[in-house]
Amino acid sequence: MLQSRYNTLYMKNILSFIDKPKIAIEYGVYKGGTFELLGEYADIVYGIDSYFFVKEDISSFVSQWVHPRMKSGWELEICDVRQSKKVNSLENESVDIVHYDAGRDRNTTQSTVDIFFDKLTDRSIVAFDNLQLTPLDNLFSMLSGYNKLLPFGLTVDKDRRGKVYCAKTEEFAQEYRARMEEWKTETFNGIQCVYQKEGMSYVKNDPRY
């Protein structure tokens, strides 16, 4: 699914919270747009995608769309997101950024988070992408699938698609929340929320809050 410019803009702003990130991982590379963007921040980017949805020859597809975007040292692994040999081989506390745009069922998400969690540095940011964040039950359901990760922010575009941002540690979750507050965000259940369209809200008119 294509990124909205709105969500991409805020992703850039949020990823800039990390000073000189070293390694980024993207689950769900597709044509490599965000894969390439992550290289503006991290020195090395590893991509994992099964490409099960690609009807044409996968090698040809990847050669046409992804390989031209890659830099020296980057790798693309074609496999189920839960079976990445590259991620398993990384040292613990070595990954600063994870962009997750792959299978969104709860079991897949939880399993993948379990696999990469120990690889994260304390300052790391994990972005879950292209989520239908409304109605509220969708958000509650997804947050329950993030296991030990601590959601600190979300962005929602005019089409009600968005990203949820998580930290590994409470120290950095608090720091990142504070930095997002400077954008005059709305607070929902401890999460800083940014909306493209005026009048969109998770808090107003909801009986639970």
Side-chain angles (χ1 to χ4, degrees), residues 39-128:
E40 298 178 13
Y41 300 89
D43 295 335
I44 298 175
V45 185
Y46 299 120
I48 299 96
D49 201 319
S50 66
Y51 287 101
F52 70 90
F53 51 87
V54 174
K55 305 300 183 184
E56 60 196 272
D57 179 73
I58 294 176
S59 296
S60 299
F61 181 90
V62 168
S63 295
Q64 177 183 357
W65 293 104
V66 183
H67 287 166
R69 301 177 185 267
M70 296 175 66
K71 299 179 183 178
S72 176
W74 294 19
E75 294 183 28
L76 174 65
E77 188 176 11
I78 301 175
C79 66
D80 184 283
V81 294
R82 295 162 293 185
Q83 298 174 351
S84 170
K85 294 180 181 179
K86 170 52 66 176
V87 174
N88 287 332
S89 72
L90 296 175
E91 295 183 1
N92 287 349
E93 301 182 2
S94 63
V95 176
D96 290 314
I97 298 170
V98 173
H99 184 258
Y100 187 89
D101 189 11
R104 295 176 183 82
D105 69 272
R106 188 178 302 181
N107 289 336
T108 300
T109 302
Q110 288 178 335
S111 298
T112 309
V113 171
D114 283 340
I115 291 167
F116 70 66
F117 185 84
D118 289 337
K119 310 297 183 182
L120 301 174
T121 62
D122 286 348
R123 66 178 185 168
S124 62
I125 291 175
V126 180
F128 292 89

Side-chain angles (χ1 to χ4, degrees), residues 4-189:
S4 69
R5 291 183 180 180
Y6 182 82
N7 285 324
T8 299
L9 170 64
Y10 273 102
M11 183 174 73
K12 291 180 177 181
N13 290 336
I14 291 170
L15 293 184
S16 68
F17 293 168
I18 302 177
D19 182 41
K20 297 179 180 178
K22 301 297 184 184
I23 296 176
I25 297 172
E26 179 169 43
Y27 292 97
V29 177
Y30 190 42
K31 292 184 177 180
T34 306
F35 190 55
E36 183 178 31
L37 186 150
L38 293 175
E40 298 178 13
Y41 300 89
D43 295 335
I44 298 175
V45 185
Y46 299 120
I48 299 96
D49 201 319
S50 66
Y51 287 101
F52 70 90
F53 51 87
V54 174
K55 305 300 183 184
E56 60 196 272
D57 179 73
I58 294 176
S59 296
S60 299
F61 181 90
V62 168
S63 295
Q64 177 183 357
W65 293 104
V66 183
H67 287 166
R69 301 177 185 267
M70 296 175 66
K71 299 179 183 178
S72 176
W74 294 19
E75 294 183 28
L76 174 65
E77 188 176 11
I78 301 175
C79 66
D80 184 283
V81 294
R82 295 162 293 185
Q83 298 174 351
S84 170
K85 294 180 181 179
K86 170 52 66 176
V87 174
N88 287 332
S89 72
L90 296 175
E91 295 183 1
N92 287 349
E93 301 182 2
S94 63
V95 176
D96 290 314
I97 298 170
V98 173
H99 184 258
Y100 187 89
D101 189 11
R104 295 176 183 82
D105 69 272
R106 188 178 302 181
N107 289 336
T108 300
T109 302
Q110 288 178 335
S111 298
T112 309
V113 171
D114 283 340
I115 291 167
F116 70 66
F117 185 84
D118 289 337
K119 310 297 183 182
L120 301 174
T121 62
D122 286 348
R123 66 178 185 168
S124 62
I125 291 175
V126 180
F128 292 89
D129 191 25
N130 282 327
L131 307 174
Q132 284 294 140
L133 298 178
T134 55
L136 274 170
D137 288 339
N138 288 359
L139 179 59
F140 291 141
S141 176
M142 282 181 288
L143 293 182
S144 71
Y146 296 165
N147 292 349
K148 308 168 188 176
L149 295 171
L150 305 171
F152 65 84
L154 65 83
T155 64
V156 185
D157 66 20
K158 61 182 176 59
D159 296 318
R160 297 188 179 274
R161 290 184 297 146
K163 296 175 181 280
V164 174
Y165 295 88
C166 301
K168 180 182 181 182
T169 65
E170 184 59 41
E171 174 190 356
F172 280 94
Q174 291 181 5
E175 176 183 324
Y176 298 151
R177 287 187 193 109
R179 296 185 70 170
M180 287 188 70
E181 283 177 354
E182 298 175 2
W183 304 336
K184 302 185 183 300
T185 54
E186 178 185 41
T187 302
F188 164 72
N189 203 24

